Amino acid sequence: MPELPEVETIARGLARRIIGRTVERVRIGLPKMAVAPEDLVFAKALVGERIERIGRRGKYVVMELQSGRGLVTSLRMTGRLIVQRDRALAPHPYTHVALDLNDGSRLCFADSRQFGRMRLVGPGERWDAALGTEPLSLDFTPEAFIGMLCGRPTPIKVFLLDQRRIAGIGNIYACEALWEARIRPDRPAKSLGKPAIRRLHPAIVGVLQRAIRLRGTTVDDYVDAEGLRGGFQNKLAVYGRNGKPCKRCGRKVVRTVLAQRGTWWCRGCQK
DNA sequence: CCGCCGCCCTGCTTGC
DNA sequence: TGCAAGCAGGGCGGCG
C-alpha cells in the first residue's frame, strides 16, 4: 500500500522520466478512474499539456501541467503509476488510464482493485485543503505535534492515520513508528505525556526518512514508477510480523484490530 | 468540528 | 483438489 515513502519514490521516479514530456493521447478504459471538473472532459483537457513538475502531497502524486492545472493521483491500496519506455509494448496489467507521451513512452495508471483515482484539478484549486501537515516539513515540530494531540480521546494509532492531521502516514508506518517510540497503539492520544510525544515525533520522521532511502516497502503489491520493488520490508520491526519475536525484547508480536485495521505491536515493550 | 460507519472492489487466504 | 466465503484496506460521503 503506497504511503508517503512509496508515493515519494514514485514521484521521484516519474520526475526523472516524464518531466518536459507532452501528452499526445489519453486512453481511458474505466471512466470512473479519471475524474475532471464538471466543465472539462478528462482526456480532451489533457492532450497537449506538458508536464512541468512532479511532486507529492500526503499520499497523492501531483503532476503540475503547463496550463497551471494539476493531475493528482491517489493510488489507494493497489494503484500503480508506471512508465513504459516504449508504448508499443502491451500496457501494464490492469491499466485503466494510459497517457501516451511525445517521446514514445507511456504512463500507465493501473489498479487491480479500482480504488485509485486520477483527478484533474484547476489552476489554484485548493484540492488538498483537508490534508494536514507534511510530517517531513519544518511545520511538523514536536511542539506542533503536542498541540495536535492535546485533549484527543482517539487512540494514537487512529490519530496517526487521520490524513486531516498529518498527511501521508498509513498502516505500515503508524505501526512502525509506535513500535520505535515504545507506545501502545490503543493509548488515547491525550494520554501521551511529553516524553512519549518527544519519542514519537522523531520516530515518525525517522521511519519515513529511512523508508524513502530504501525506496519504500513492498509487502505484496507496491512497485515504483519503473516497476521495481522497495527495500524497507526487510527492516520492518512489527508490521505483518505476527507471532515473530520482537526485535527489541523478544516477545511475540501480536496482531489486534483498531478502527477496522490490522495493528501489529509488542505487548512486551510498547506501553 | 468531531468521530464513526458503510461503501467501493477484487485478489488472495482460509476452510470445508 | 476444488470451490465458495471471508477478508483486507484509504478515502469519502453520510449521519449523529
Side-chain angles (χ1 to χ4, degrees):
Chain A
M1 295 126 268
E3 305 180 23
L4 187 154
E6 292 75 33
V7 177
E8 180 69 28
T9 304
I10 290 167
R12 289 179 186 180
L14 290 176
R16 265 183 283 123
R17 298 278 209 98
I18 65 172
I19 282 183
R21 303 286 169 267
T22 299
V23 178
E24 280 187 346
R25 195 154 76 109
V26 178
R27 275 172 302 161
I28 299 174
L30 197 54
K32 69 171 180 182
M33 306 289 289
V35 181
E38 292 209 357
D39 56 329
L40 293 179
V41 176
F42 182 92
K44 205 174 167 188
L46 217 44
V47 170
E49 284 274 23
R50 193 171 69 207
I51 299 161
E52 301 281 3
R53 272 185 300 275
I54 300 180
R56 175 196 60 74
R57 172 81 169 99
K59 302 180 199 174
Y60 297 81
V61 177
V62 183
M63 300 184 223
E64 295 176 46
L65 308 173
Q66 190 175 19
S67 66
R69 289 185 182 132
L71 185 60
V72 178
T73 305
S74 163
L75 297 162
R76 300 286 185 97
M77 274 89 67
T78 48
R80 295 176 166 186
L81 281 172
I82 296 189
V83 180
Q84 296 181 303
R85 286 183 192 278
D86 182 358
R87 65 180 180 231
L89 297 169
H92 195 78
Y94 303 106
T95 292
H96 303 303
V97 183
L99 308 188
D100 287 348
L101 306 176
N102 66 333
D103 65 345
S105 68
R106 175 166 55 201
L107 174 62
C108 296
F109 175 38
D111 188 350
S112 66
R113 233 172 268 189
Q114 304 177 13
F115 276 8
R117 291 293 181 271
M118 205 172 228
R119 187 148 80 95
L120 196 58
V121 298
E125 185 179 333
R126 297 191 60 236
W127 64 270
D128 66 340
L131 288 182
T133 307
E134 283 292 325
L136 298 184
S137 76
L138 296 174
D139 295 338
F140 186 57
T141 61
E143 290 67 35
F145 193 33
I146 289 168
M148 288 182 203
L149 299 177
C150 185
R152 304 209 166 268
T154 311
I156 183 62
K157 191 209 170 198
V158 178
F159 178 91
L160 294 178
L161 294 176
D162 186 344
Q163 304 299 300
R164 296 170 301 181
R165 311 296 159 203
I166 304 170
I169 302 173
N171 210 14
I172 296 172
Y173 300 106
C175 290
E176 293 297 306
L178 288 166
W179 178 84
E180 189 172 319
R182 306 195 305 276
I183 297 167
R184 281 178 67 111
D186 59 354
R187 271 184 66 180
K190 66 181 182 184
S191 78
L192 300 188
K194 283 189 183 175
I197 301 176
R198 286 187 181 279
R199 292 197 305 276
L200 184 53
H201 181 274
I204 292 167
V205 174
V207 75
L208 294 174
Q209 286 176 337
R210 296 198 306 277
I212 290 172
R213 221 169 292 142
L214 290 180
R215 308 174 50 78
T217 302
T218 300
V219 173
D220 42 25
D221 221 73
Y222 160 74
V223 291
D224 69 11
E226 302 176 25
L228 301 174
R229 293 163 56 85
F232 197 72
Q233 60 277 10
N234 305 311
K235 306 287 182 185
L236 295 175
V238 283
Y239 182 86
R241 299 189 74 247
N242 201 16
K244 293 188 176 136
C246 170
K247 294 183 172 187
R248 188 163 45 212
C249 76
R251 189 159 163 182
K252 281 185 180 177
V253 172
V254 295
R255 179 186 185 275
T256 58
V257 175
L258 211 46
Q260 287 90 246
R261 281 179 180 98
T263 302
W264 290 267
W265 57 291
C266 174
R267 291 188 190 278
C269 55
Q270 289 179 253
K271 302 294 181 189

